[in-house]
Amino acid sequence: MKQIALIAILGIVIVDIAFQMATGAVPQARVAGTILLTLAFLAAAIAVGTHEAMVNGRGAGGYVVSIALAVLGAFVAASLSGIVLEPILRLMSLEGSNDPRPWSFVASAGMMLFVLIGARFGLSKGKRWR
């Protein structure tokens, strides 16, 4: 699980760096940036669900249920992470900074961390029903 978290966080930061070098920021006004970030969060959630099903020796149905619970938990956590991360980023004053990019890396990594925690939370709540 630690490897999944490390790869997912590094991956989202590398995507953010690539967009920053190409366009200056991940384009939020266009569809491409939002879809790319969503696909990264979805891939991380699927990886967490697959890992949990593989470690616990689940069958085909168990894989489907684990992935569904991980994706559901991840997207609930992603929607809630904006509520948590926005005030934190506002407290970090960017007025004196000429380069606000490091904070966007922190925000991307923080959101991925919230997504991974949400995926694990969804799986833990699903274990009660099995």
Side-chain angles (χ1 to χ4, degrees):
M1 182 61 201
K2 293 177 186 175
Q3 293 88 0
I4 293 173
L6 181 65
I7 291 169
I9 291 172
L10 283 176
I12 200 77
V13 169
I14 288 171
V15 165
D16 203 5
I17 289 171
F19 265 114
Q20 297 250 346
M21 288 182 172
T23 62
V26 176
Q28 299 297 326
R30 295 191 180 109
V31 177
T34 306
I35 288 178
L36 184 64
L37 293 177
T38 304
L39 287 176
F41 297 142
L42 180 66
I46 289 172
V48 169
T50 304
H51 177 264
E52 192 272 338
M54 190 170 34
V55 166
N56 292 325
R58 308 248 189 250
Y63 270 84
V64 171
V65 170
S66 292
I67 291 172
L69 287 172
V71 168
L72 179 67
F75 281 108
V76 168
S79 63
L80 295 177
S81 69
I83 297 170
V84 174
L85 287 176
E86 183 135 355
I88 293 171
L89 290 175
R90 283 191 189 168
L91 290 175
M92 298 176 188
S93 177
L94 298 176
E95 288 113 21
S97 174
N98 293 332
D99 191 18
R101 286 185 280 180
W103 300 119
S104 71
F105 300 151
V106 169
S108 296
M111 193 157 184
M112 182 58 83
L113 192 62
F114 271 99
V115 165
L116 293 172
I117 291 170
R120 290 296 297 170
F121 184 75
L123 287 169
S124 70
K125 292 301 172 191
K127 282 185 181 180
R128 289 184 178 179
W129 298 331
R130 290 185 181 182

